[in-house]
Amino acid sequence: MARTRVAVLVSGRGSNLHALIAASAAPDYPAEIALVLSNNPASPGLDTARDAGIQAQAIDHRAHGRDRAAHEQAIDAALREADIGCVCLAGYMRLLTPLLTTRWAGRMLNIHPSLLPAFPGLQTHARALQAGVTLHGCTVHLVTERVDDGPILGQAAICVHPGDTPETLAARVLEQEHLLYPLALRRHLGGRAAGPREGVLLAV
Ligand code: GAR
């Protein structure tokens, strides 16, 4: 089976990266995690990748000052150099410009810690609690030039419990992220388990 060469872009901890690497160990998984890039040289995700024998590279945005285009050109060049077919943003905390979103349209996924279109942006768990929602969760979607927007590929929902804090919610949502992202990527790449083209839905 030809596996798509996938790059994962991270900024920090890299637990979703870890989940994607673990899923890709299955022989029938349609993606090979071939490259990990980070805008943050101190990202633990880079070590996670290297420990797994995956090529990992920091492309520090600070080296490019305010020139977002130059930073994104460097990312794009690294993706092309590694013959990447699909990009997964996994806790990549830089806003993207059309330079990347246009070049990778339909081939760039993101995971976001809310049930989009609710709570785009930051501090999603605190905002969910403040809004009094009873369901919360995470979303995998295709990336467009609009932040935390684009066609939804899958969602996982959890119940909000009395006494939940942003931290307890974040922890339960993160568990679902680790299940959802590998499933949504598998579905997107049309792997063996792919059925009709409908979004993945997990609910616990
Ligand atoms: C995850 O919760 C992810 O959904 C979120 O950052 C965290 C990264 O964790 N992404 C965003 O907020 C992007 N808008 P990880 O580094 O352990 O995967």
Side-chain angles (χ1 to χ4, degrees):
M1 180 190 58
R3 307 214 292 167
T4 301
R5 290 173 62 78
V6 167
V8 183
L9 270 56
V10 299
S11 295
R13 180 176 55 186
S15 69
N16 277 290
L17 164 66
H18 189 271
L20 290 168
I21 292 171
S24 70
D28 68 341
Y29 198 74
E32 169 197 355
I33 310 303
L35 177 67
V36 172
L37 298 178
S38 181
N39 64 302
N40 170 18
S43 167
L46 291 170
D47 297 324
T48 300
R50 289 180 184 127
D51 289 348
I54 295 167
Q55 185 190 339
Q57 187 185 343
I59 302 180
D60 192 341
H61 61 279
R62 289 165 299 196
H64 297 281
R66 293 196 180 159
D67 193 346
R68 281 182 182 274
H71 182 237
E72 292 193 357
Q73 286 283 10
I75 290 174
D76 187 55
L79 296 172
R80 287 164 189 262
E81 167 80 24
D83 195 23
I84 294 302
C86 180
V87 179
C88 289
L89 307 182
Y92 185 71
M93 303 309 275
R94 300 281 300 167
L95 297 178
L96 298 183
T97 79
L99 188 149
L100 278 180
T101 59
T102 304
R103 285 189 191 169
W104 291 90
R107 296 182 297 156
M108 183 179 274
L109 284 59
N110 180 45
I111 188 156
H112 181 75
S114 77
L115 294 174
L116 291 173
F119 313 122
L122 300 175
Q123 293 177 349
T124 56
H125 309 302
R127 287 159 60 212
L129 283 177
Q130 203 164 25
V133 296
T134 53
L135 278 179
H136 185 44
C138 51
T139 302
V140 173
H141 64 96
L142 286 173
V143 173
T144 65
E145 72 221 43
R146 290 157 53 126
V147 179
D148 299 330
D149 200 52
I152 289 174
L153 301 178
Q155 294 188 302
I158 61 160
C159 293
V160 179
H161 299 151
D164 260 330
T165 65
E167 291 73 29
T168 61
L169 269 190
R172 291 210 307 289
V173 168
L174 192 64
E175 281 177 25
Q176 297 308 306
E177 293 186 38
H178 297 162
L179 299 174
L180 177 67
Y181 213 168
L183 283 175
L185 179 61
R186 177 192 278 278
R187 174 70 64 91
H188 181 64
L189 295 177
R192 204 187 51 153
R197 289 208 64 78
E198 57 192 23
V200 174
L201 170 67
L202 304 172
V204 291

